[in-house]
Amino acid sequence: MFGRLLRCLLPLLALLTSPTAWAQAPGRIVAVGDLHGDFDAWQAIARAAGLIDDRGRWSGGRTVLVQTGDIVDRGAGSRRILDHLMRLQREAPRVGGRVVVLTGNHEAMNVTGDLRYVDPGEYAAFATRGSVRLRDLLFEQQRAAFATRIGAAARKLSGGAVRQEWDRQTPLGLVEHQLAFSPVNGVYGRWIAANPVVAKMGDTLFVHGGLSAEYARFPLDELNRRAAAELKARSTDEAALINDPLGPLWYRGLVTRAPDPDEPPLPPGAVKLPSRPGIATELTQVLAATGTKRMVIGHTPSLKGIVIDHDARLIRIDTGISRYYGGPLSYLEIIGERLVPHVVPRPSAGTGMRQ
């Protein structure tokens, strides 16, 4: 009887166990990079990798899927990908598999209210028949504050013009979108805050942007705890791990030392970052500090495909999968010490699984 009970509890225990570090690597790992709202591309990759069946259910057996973040922004299918990954996280442990989703900088941006890259279709996915009424009520509550914020008086805007600007800045579905990404009460915000920003499986380290030498000094569990606390607080502090250019969500220094195009320029008088060790030297330091042989990252697109660099110590799996970038659909398969990049044909638009 105890054995039967234990077998029933194993899937639940797998879900509750922290995915930060596995002493031994799973037999097969499939790693997928930035998806940016392209649901059809995600479905094509998941099927090609043998992770799902024709109905979108987990069929990967004991495989561990690692998705390295940036599911959202730049594409209309973000909500569908989120829903599907959350479902697979529940299904995979029933047969000994696992789904680990890292938090990327774009997930953090959505949680903290930085919506500059949200696609109109992402808002539309949250719109309901009550969205117009909800937007009207919110406008009545915030009319005066909004008019002040946009300088309506100085610009001599009429009441109708103020309302038009409100509607332009508040597309239908935006309010519901932000409620869903609340780290306190929102279904996606809470899930994102609970996901790790770095995970270690055997000799392999997975992180969205890259782990800098500064952050490699901290235990991985601590990095994940800090990120979770900052996301729950919706921190916009530039020094917070989730916002720091040297932090694991944003760091590109293991790929390039060129300025990050997504980062604003330093304000006048700001202190510039100190000079850094060379990329190969820093990578060696980080891998030694974390007790790993290789690091798998997303964040910085390589439109030529997966890059296995620095004697297979750095693997870049963001290949611009989303139609926004138009790069190749890809996934990395890790079996023991073998690193196998795969390319998947891009499906015609709208051919993904319907949930």
Side-chain angles (χ1 to χ4, degrees), residues 124-146:
F126 286 88
T128 68
R129 286 182 293 179
S131 292
V132 173
R133 178 59 177 160
L134 181 61
R135 184 170 65 176
D136 289 346
L137 290 172
L138 195 61
F139 176 70
E140 292 304 319
Q141 292 176 1
Q142 300 187 9
R143 181 200 302 260
F146 179 73

Side-chain angles (χ1 to χ4, degrees), residues 71-274:
I71 299 163
V72 301
D73 286 346
R74 296 193 167 110
S78 299
R79 186 178 187 182
R80 296 176 70 193
I81 303 174
L82 290 169
D83 287 340
H84 192 220
L85 284 170
M86 292 169 74
R87 176 177 138 193
L88 294 181
Q89 275 192 336
R90 297 189 298 270
E91 294 177 351
R94 298 171 189 166
V95 291
R98 186 112 181 224
V99 175
V100 177
V101 180
L102 302 183
T103 297
N105 60 302
H106 283 266
E107 281 76 45
M109 291 166 73
N110 275 248
V111 168
T112 58
D114 185 344
L115 308 179
R116 56 187 141 144
Y117 297 113
V118 178
D119 184 271
E122 293 179 275
Y123 292 136
F126 286 88
T128 68
R129 286 182 293 179
S131 292
V132 173
R133 178 59 177 160
L134 181 61
R135 184 170 65 176
D136 289 346
L137 290 172
L138 195 61
F139 176 70
E140 292 304 319
Q141 292 176 1
Q142 300 187 9
R143 181 200 302 260
F146 179 73
T148 300
R149 179 162 64 84
I150 65 172
R155 295 164 60 189
K156 298 181 180 180
L157 297 179
S158 66
V162 171
R163 178 56 199 255
Q164 287 179 355
E165 181 62 16
W166 168 268
D167 288 350
R168 187 187 71 80
Q169 294 189 24
T170 315
L172 295 178
L174 182 147
V175 177
E176 295 91 335
H177 174 278
Q178 279 296 274
L179 290 172
F181 278 87
S182 163
V184 177
N185 299 313
V187 61
Y188 304 119
R190 285 181 294 149
W191 182 70
I192 289 166
N195 284 336
V197 297
V198 60
K200 177 182 175 182
M201 297 184 185
D203 294 328
T204 305
L205 189 69
F206 297 89
V207 59
H208 174 65
L211 196 63
S212 65
E214 285 79 0
Y215 281 92
R217 295 183 292 110
F218 299 97
L220 303 185
D221 281 335
E222 183 177 340
L223 297 181
N224 287 329
R225 285 194 297 269
R226 283 176 58 181
E230 292 166 0
L231 286 165
K232 289 175 183 176
R234 305 186 94 160
S235 175
T236 56
D237 183 348
E238 292 180 2
L241 175 151
I242 62 171
N243 304 318
D244 188 347
L246 294 178
L249 276 62
W250 287 94
Y251 191 51
R252 298 188 197 269
L254 296 175
V255 177
T256 177
R257 296 297 164 89
D260 189 335
D262 290 333
E263 282 295 297
L266 289 172
V271 178
K272 293 185 178 180
L273 294 174

Side-chain angles (χ1 to χ4, degrees), residues 259-341:
D260 189 335
D262 290 333
E263 282 295 297
L266 289 172
V271 178
K272 293 185 178 180
L273 294 174
S275 60
R276 309 190 58 72
I279 291 176
T281 299
E282 183 174 28
L283 179 60
T284 298
Q285 294 172 351
V286 171
L287 295 180
T290 56
T292 53
K293 293 181 179 179
R294 66 192 67 87
M295 188 188 309
V296 177
I297 63 172
H299 188 51
T300 304
S302 166
L303 301 188
K304 294 181 180 179
I306 290 175
V307 176
I308 300 177
D309 209 354
H310 296 281
D311 297 322
R313 296 185 302 153
L314 183 72
I315 302 92
R316 297 169 51 195
I317 63 170
D318 176 5
T319 59
I321 288 169
S322 171
R323 285 185 184 274
Y324 177 90
Y325 289 104
L329 277 58
S330 63
Y331 67 92
L332 176 71
E333 188 176 31
I334 305 176
I335 302 175
E337 294 292 311
R338 287 197 300 127
L339 308 174
V340 186

